[in-house]
Amino acid sequence: MLSVGYPLARVSTASAGGAEQILACLDRAIVAAGHRSIVVAPEGSLISGELHPIEPPREPFDDAAKALAQRRTRVAIDTVRAFGRIDVIHLHGIDFPAYLPGAGVPVLATLHLPPAWYPPDALAPMRPDTWLNCVSDSQHQTCPPSGAMLPPIPNGIAVEAFAATRHRKRGFALFLGRICPEKGVHLAIEAARRAGLRLVIAGETYPYAEHQFYVEREIRPQLGPSCRFIGPVGFMRKRRLLAAAQCLLVPSSAAETSSLVAREAAASGTPVIAFRVGAMAETVRDGQTGFLVEDVAAMAAAARQAVSLDPDACRAVARAHFSDIAMTANYLDLYARLADPDRAGRRP
């Protein structure tokens, strides 16, 4: 298996991006199943298989930096293919058409982001034996009809790792994720203030000028004793934060395609208060594992009510529906079907 990440984001289980976390999970599962896993990703990525690193461009990440990273990714893919047999290539980046390899190897491209964010040619690939899949039913339903589209494979998380972490609730709200405008961090700050809750903001700001400007203009002026920004957190600290929080706030303006952090919160026994966008209705059981709301005022009211929800009910839903074991089994089965030499170009 050759897996290819987004050229500007390191791959690890602690990454802020969901695509990078899923790639790391699949890489680990491929190795555990006894297969060879090769990953093309930026230097510094933490994987279980063999890393074929690409040098990340200098910051900030502008159009020139993206183009350079895409060229390096194309070269890396060609180099890996030249030195041995590859059965399947799995692409995870939103810009995958820029380094789609030549014909000859089955390709699967997973759409981790809203379909409208992809260029039109990405959703109707002309390359033979190139297939697409979504990560939730709601995302799949918003895609234009395409013969290349396979059934969705819902994202999964390490449920038991989060469920096993127990902490006394500390009475704070948590935002955890990428720090950028579409994630609505400024709205989480407003909602927590209205609810009278302390807010902890954890996550990574990638070196895009727009994201950095957003932090300086919208986030830093609001920080203080009741609103802390602690930056990126590793896997262990993320588990502790999720377990100790009164609730997780997910005020995204973009259509979430699955929200891994919301699933991690449920597994931690922590209710999720989220805007009703994208796949959040597939992740949050309204009134059971959290609340789906329409605006900041409703988010603040729901955050105060979060203590009324049963942590064990949250964990039970996560165990039943969000397991990474089911997700990796589905992908491994799909890889086997794609690699079947008797398939002869038929739909897998």
Side-chain angles (χ1 to χ4, degrees):
M1 279 297 307
L2 171 58
S3 301
V4 183
Y6 179 55
L8 299 180
R10 292 185 178 91
V11 171
S12 81
T13 55
S15 296
E20 288 72 46
Q21 294 179 52
I22 294 299
L23 196 165
C25 181
L26 292 175
D27 161 66
R28 184 171 61 246
I30 293 164
V31 172
H35 305 296
R36 186 182 181 192
S37 175
I38 305 170
V39 177
V40 169
E43 292 174 351
S45 296
L46 302 176
I47 65 165
S48 301
E50 305 166 33
L51 177 64
H52 191 99
I54 61 169
E55 180 185 353
R58 293 181 180 178
E59 301 175 2
F61 291 167
D62 54 17
D63 289 343
K66 293 177 188 177
L68 175 59
Q70 289 164 354
R71 288 197 297 272
R72 288 172 173 168
T73 300
R74 283 197 300 271
V75 170
I77 292 171
D78 291 342
T79 300
V80 171
R81 292 184 65 188
F83 280 92
R85 172 186 166 187
I86 300 296
D87 293 302
V88 179
I89 299 175
H90 192 172
L91 307 176
H92 291 266
I94 187 173
D95 57 347
F96 73 86
Y99 40 84
L100 192 64
V105 178
V107 167
L108 174 68
T110 293
L111 308 179
H112 291 279
L113 296 169
W117 293 17
Y118 290 83
D121 62 325
L123 303 183
M126 300 300 294
R127 179 189 181 274
D129 217 3
T130 302
W131 308 94
L132 311 173
N133 80 289
C134 291
V135 298
S136 64
D137 289 334
S138 63
Q139 180 199 23
H140 181 84
Q141 290 164 9
T142 63
C143 287
S146 170
M149 186 66 69
L150 301 177
I153 298 179
N155 280 341
I157 60 163
V159 171
E160 294 307 326
F162 289 95
T165 305
R166 303 294 176 105
H167 276 279
R168 179 175 60 84
K169 295 297 183 183
R170 300 295 179 87
F172 67 89
L174 176 66
F175 174 93
L176 200 160
R178 291 186 294 116
I179 311 300
C180 57
E182 64 267 20
K183 291 297 183 180
V185 190
H186 61 293
L187 300 177
I189 294 173
E190 183 181 350
R193 182 178 295 124
R194 290 193 186 196
L197 291 171
R198 291 179 294 118
L199 178 67
V200 175
I201 302 168
E204 185 170 358
T205 306
Y206 286 95
Y208 300 98
E210 180 188 5
H211 295 185
Q212 294 175 330
F213 180 67
Y214 172 71
V215 170
E216 297 304 321
R217 182 186 62 185
E218 301 285 352
I219 308 303
R220 294 205 185 280
Q222 313 239 33
L223 300 179
S226 62
C227 181
R228 296 175 55 212
F229 179 25
I230 62 175
V233 293
F235 186 67
M236 295 294 291
R237 194 177 185 192
K238 175 168 73 169
R239 286 164 53 188
R240 292 195 296 269
L241 284 168
L242 284 168
Q246 177 170 313
C247 59
L248 175 78
L249 302 182
V250 185
S252 298
S253 59
E256 290 283 351
T257 55
S258 84
S259 185
L260 290 181
V261 70
R263 295 170 183 231
E264 293 166 348
S268 303
T270 297
V272 177
I273 319 299
F275 286 166
R276 194 186 298 271
V277 294
M280 294 312 301
E282 297 175 44
T283 300
V284 178
R285 300 287 180 89
D286 196 21
Q288 181 182 6
T289 67
F291 298 101
L292 296 172
V293 299
E294 306 298 335
D295 55 31
V296 169
M299 178 167 281
R304 290 191 293 268
Q305 297 177 42
V307 293
S308 68
L309 300 183
D310 181 3
D312 286 333
C314 296
R315 296 187 187 100
V317 169
R319 286 191 172 101
H321 299 284
F322 303 151
S323 169
D324 61 353
I325 296 174
M327 176 193 72
T328 55
N330 285 331
Y331 274 110
L332 288 172
D333 177 66
L334 178 55
Y335 295 158
R337 286 182 280 135
L338 286 168
D340 183 359
D342 296 326
R343 189 170 57 87
R346 290 180 286 108
R347 184 180 176 86

